[in-house]
Amino acid sequence: MLKSAYHLARPAARTTSVVFASPHSGRDYPGSFLRRTVLDAYAVRSSEDAYVDLLFETVPEHGAPFLMACAPRAYLDLNRGADELDSALIEGVRRSAHNPRIASGLGVIPRVVANGRQIYRGKLSLVEAHHRIANYWRPYHDQLQTLLDESNNAFGEAILIDCHSMPHEALESVGPPGTARPDIVLGDRFGAAAGCGIMEHVEAAFSSAGLRVARNMPFAGAFITQHYGRPSRGQHAIQVEIDRALYMDERSLEPHAGFEDFKALLNGVIAELVEIGREADQRVAAE
């Protein structure tokens, strides 16, 4: 059993409509899971957004809440719908209409980690899948929606910054050959999940820190951005993907010598992002 589904760090006083969350940095691996996987301790961590929770840990100091998953992504993917069950992994699940995430082994209970490496030998029971969803998926998402509701009630809007990291190699195909790769990829489902003005402010916060920013390519956002992004209702969601090479050694899965400097840089970005949520009254009045 995991110790808990999530950790919530609240500010002393909520001063912004912005909510930060990290659904993929969990590293509380249950012993029962580690005994069942065919992967070694290194390979099983390859899907983690390692240390994203530490990069953003100063969020509450700026007046915003920060929700962090405890469940590892290889155990349960919180950026998938609860119904994205993989019939190739889970007994008793009917094969449904084609879903590219499930087909590639990346459903709510993943079948593979990075580079398509199988997690298990054999299948899991439907009971086990429902247990993970009931005990870890639903509590996390219930708490996330509660935080967004609190923002809407207090400020008239809610802005979710969904914090992730991406393998450096994922950026190889971004942009024409010979051009600099982005450091940050922002995803808003091509404008469907966040207001244009908010997306522009978020991009400016990263760009002003000297970081190269791209939008929606190669990551436009998955379940969380799609589900929570409701700009017509004053609820905006933007996925932030950070190049892991900026702060960690991807081979050893350890922070590298530049970790603290990058964290300090990101702290300045966080300060800019929470300011967007302090302008909520002006935006709501204008609408």
Side-chain angles (χ1 to χ4, degrees):
M1 288 287 290
L2 298 171
K3 296 172 186 175
S4 59
Y6 60 82
H7 174 66
L8 174 59
R10 286 189 178 272
R14 188 89 165 261
T15 62
T16 177
S17 65
V18 180
V19 172
F20 292 78
S22 175
H24 285 164
S25 59
R27 47 188 175 271
D28 183 5
Y29 289 86
S32 58
F33 169 75
L34 293 176
R35 288 190 293 272
R36 182 149 195 177
T37 181
V38 298
L39 298 171
D40 60 32
Y42 170 83
V44 79
R45 293 190 59 201
S46 60
S47 291
E48 265 183 38
D49 288 349
Y51 311 112
V52 166
D53 54 335
L54 300 182
L55 288 175
F56 285 88
E57 68 180 349
T58 62
V59 159
E61 299 172 16
H62 296 278
F66 183 29
L67 180 66
M68 296 156 274
C70 295
R73 186 182 186 184
Y75 181 77
L76 176 80
D77 194 336
L78 293 161
N79 201 17
R80 299 290 182 265
D83 60 347
E84 292 188 73
L85 295 169
D86 186 349
S87 62
L89 175 65
I90 302 166
E91 295 174 347
V93 172
R94 293 183 180 180
R95 183 174 296 179
S96 57
H98 180 69
N99 178 314
R101 295 192 291 247
I102 295 175
S104 61
L106 298 172
V108 65
I109 311 292
R111 175 165 35 96
V112 301
V113 292
N115 299 317
R117 289 169 290 185
Q118 297 284 330
I119 298 173
Y120 307 96
R121 184 180 294 111
K123 288 191 170 187
L124 302 179
S125 70
L126 188 57
V127 170
E128 171 64 18
H130 285 162
H131 168 81
R132 296 186 192 185
I133 291 166
N135 288 280
Y136 306 108
W137 191 97
R138 295 200 185 282
Y140 179 90
H141 283 281
D142 287 348
Q143 182 61 75
L144 180 54
Q145 186 61 67
T146 296
L147 292 170
L148 296 173
D149 290 344
E150 289 173 358
S151 284
N152 260 312
N153 291 336
F155 303 98
E157 71 170 17
I159 301 171
L160 172 61
I161 303 297
D162 197 44
C163 308
H164 297 257
S165 66
M166 55 189 172
H168 184 69
E169 65 182 17
L171 303 170
E172 289 179 354
S173 61
V174 180
T179 60
R181 299 176 180 182
D183 301 309
I184 307 291
V185 176
L186 303 177
D188 66 351
R189 306 288 298 181
F190 297 94
C196 179
I198 289 175
M199 183 60 152
E200 288 175 355
H201 281 306
V202 171
E203 181 174 2
F206 285 98
S207 296
S208 64
L211 297 165
R212 294 184 297 271
V213 183
R215 292 193 193 184
N216 292 306
M217 293 295 290
F219 304 108
F223 171 79
I224 289 173
T225 313
Q226 184 176 17
H227 180 74
Y228 292 102
R230 295 289 184 268
S232 63
R233 304 179 194 172
Q235 184 169 289
H236 310 266
I238 295 175
Q239 177 177 282
V240 175
E241 294 276 2
I242 301 171
D243 181 356
R244 292 175 189 161
L246 292 171
Y247 68 89
M248 65 177 280
D249 183 330
E250 294 184 79
R251 290 171 297 179
S252 67
L253 294 177
E254 295 294 335
H256 61 45
F259 181 88
E260 292 299 333
D261 286 342
F262 181 71
K263 181 178 178 180
L265 179 75
L266 196 58
N267 187 52
V269 176
I270 293 167
E272 294 292 326
L273 294 175
V274 298
E275 282 299 323
I276 300 169
R278 294 188 179 121
E279 300 166 0
D281 291 341
Q282 300 172 26
R283 271 193 299 275
V284 172
E287 294 169 359

